[in-house]
Amino acid sequence: MGQTLLLLSQALLVSGAAVASTASYDVPSTPNKVGKPLEGFVSYSIEFSSFPEFAGNPSSPNELSYNLIKNVGSIMGSNPYIRVGGNTQDYALYSASQKEALVGIVDPHRSPDYPTTVKIGPAYFELYNAWPGIKFSHGLNLALGGSSSTGWETLVETVPLVCETLGNGKLYTWEYGNEPDFYSISAQGPVRPSTFDEGTYVSQWLNGTKEIRSQVKKHCPNVAEPKFLAPSFAGRFSEAKTWQAGLNADNGVELFSTHNYISGATSPGVTLQGTLMNFGVTKKSVDAQVSSYNKIFGSTANAAAPPLIFGETNSLYNQGRPGLSNSFGAALWGVNFHLYSASVGIKRVHFHQGTNYRYQAWQPVDTNLVTKGTKAPYYGSVAVAAFLRNSVVQPVSVSNIPLGADQAEAAYAAHFTKSQKLGRILVINMHSYNTTVDGAGLKPLPHVPERPNKTYTFNVGSTVADGQVVQVQRLMANGSDAITGITFDGWSYNWELDAGKPVRLHNVTSGETTVVKGGQVTIRLPDSSAAILSFTNSL
């Protein structure tokens, strides 16, 4: 039923493509100076305790994980970077005699979603060999490393294992501590006194990173001096105060990492339409973190400053909410979040996930809670990768296209930075369209309502010649509440079809084109869908 509805909706789009627009929108004529993402812009963060399940091991890699990561890399032109970290990196203690890669104990009173007692053995570091061609950052334990002898011993003993394993071209960067601004008030149990502040954090961070450098120099002299993701805050500490207190005194901050969640899974008033599928909510959240960065460095275009990245982000903290974070609406939100972030100077985005998490892009293994498979948010990653495609060879700059007061829509332009020409437009219609009872994505409505459409006309002026053919690639599902039946440009990445590799669905429309007429390009877009318009002669 799902694919039949999808086919019908796309067939209507083709037959109705000539419908007139009631409004037109101006596309920027030149590249955005701050909107130049780094390679691997679409990247991932994997919960430290979940990494064994996501990775598999060198003799039996997790096929789904590797295929999905490589899909994004082949489309985008550079592989995603993988940050291994999160809350559980700050619980991890090392045991050299432990045979298992990781042993975790879940205390549901502290957290039902991940273990809060974590032991790792030497086999944990072998997991990094499961995915050839992928670069990783490894999260080191500051919460215990800076406050206990066993934590410090873990730091000393594991740093050599990190540099020995990842030093051969697989090292992305280092991270010491996850969200230290919450150490004194953590819901899982404080690990610092109430007096723990920015200055104390900086002192402990500098002490630990000095030891990391010493261990690398001692055990891996051929590995470059460690550089770090930092400060990895969740919004409670002042990043400016941290910088003023000397965080970068040793010139060790390679990437200025901050964390972002639009809202919380249990926060009052959170809805799909009002919270996630809402341009204004995303803009306000991202702008606040860019403003914090700019107070220190002046601009995200400052080439002398460490690039600003989201080292960890996703829709709703506390691992997401069913019916929201696992829906197609969350995939549309992810497209908007990625591209708005790029347009204001965020250089890389690591979407966080873990086993059984509600906002995950994929579930790596079968459990008693979640079946193995590709989840709705992954398709948002694919669409963003396609918008940036081949960006290492032909880099682009991302601009926001203002669409007026309607907060349930957004559009973006990609200009080639070398030729300055307009290459692509992406438009998202985030008006909700539900086809299931209670919008939970499970039980179909007895009578499916007619799906509204909106026509968007973009003024491209003299930047694109009249008559130019425009390729259309659609991100589609049966509705914003869909959790299955999702495609991008007619491709499915489901585990059940070919282990996550792309499979063309022949009952879904693809190969659609339109043309530029009178300096304008027009597209008709159903509610709860997105599309990329690619100007084929713009290279």
Side-chain angles (χ1 to χ4, degrees), residues 97-109:
S97 61
Q98 180 174 296
K99 293 182 179 180
E100 298 87 356
L102 183 144
V103 175
I105 299 174
V106 174
D107 179 351
H109 297 292

Side-chain angles (χ1 to χ4, degrees), residues 269-525:
V270 171
T271 65
L272 193 56
Q273 182 71 83
T275 307
L276 296 184
M277 295 170 60
N278 186 301
F279 173 78
V281 171
T282 292
K283 179 180 186 300
K284 181 179 179 181
S285 179
V286 174
D287 283 354
Q289 292 185 279
V290 171
S291 176
S292 179
Y293 177 89
N294 288 347
K295 287 178 181 178
I296 306 172
F297 303 109
S299 169
T300 53
N302 183 352
L308 175 62
I309 70 166
F310 284 131
E312 178 184 317
T313 187
N314 214 304
S315 55
L316 304 174
Y317 62 80
N318 290 338
Q319 295 75 58
R321 184 195 294 182
L324 299 182
S325 303
N326 63 337
S327 70
F328 181 60
L332 297 174
W333 165 80
V335 175
N336 182 51
F337 182 87
H338 269 104
L339 295 183
Y340 184 75
S341 296
S343 76
V344 293
I346 307 292
K347 303 304 182 185
R348 186 174 291 138
V349 177
H350 291 266
F351 261 48
H352 193 57
Q353 55 187 331
T355 307
N356 298 336
Y357 287 11
R358 277 71 67 189
Y359 53 46
Q360 63 191 171
W362 68 91
Q363 168 77 1
V365 294
D366 287 314
T367 70
N368 62 338
L369 297 175
V370 183
T371 58
K372 181 177 183 176
T374 310
K375 306 303 178 182
Y378 177 76
Y379 287 84
S381 296
V382 170
V384 176
F387 187 65
L388 302 176
R389 61 181 173 269
N390 200 27
S391 57
V392 172
V393 176
Q394 295 181 352
V396 296
S397 178
V398 178
S399 304
N400 175 244
I401 303 173
L403 297 185
D406 191 339
Q407 298 301 295
E409 56 186 13
Y412 299 90
H415 288 80
F416 296 111
T417 57
K418 294 178 181 178
S419 69
Q420 310 285 292
K421 292 182 178 180
L422 177 64
R424 290 179 281 277
I425 292 172
L426 186 147
V427 58
I428 319 166
N429 179 345
M430 292 183 286
H431 288 278
S432 63
Y433 175 73
N434 295 337
T435 62
T436 62
V437 176
D438 298 326
L442 299 174
K443 185 179 179 181
L445 287 169
H447 302 288
V448 178
E450 183 178 355
R451 191 169 192 169
N453 293 270
K454 181 169 182 178
T455 301
Y456 296 84
T457 296
F458 296 98
N459 302 316
V460 296
S462 60
T463 60
V464 181
D466 271 9
Q468 182 172 141
V469 174
V470 181
Q471 178 192 36
V472 179
Q473 296 171 292
R474 295 186 183 271
L475 178 61
M476 291 291 297
N478 283 341
S480 53
D481 54 349
I483 57 175
T484 61
I486 301 159
T487 61
F488 175 73
D489 195 31
W491 294 97
S492 173
Y493 299 88
N494 282 1
W495 164 250
E496 297 84 0
L497 296 180
D498 191 12
K501 294 178 181 178
V503 174
R504 175 74 78 183
L505 300 184
H506 298 294
N507 63 340
V508 179
T509 303
S510 61
E512 183 184 350
T513 61
T514 185
V515 294
V516 178
K517 295 181 180 179
Q520 296 182 325
V521 61
T522 295
I523 185 169
R524 191 180 182 198
L525 203 60

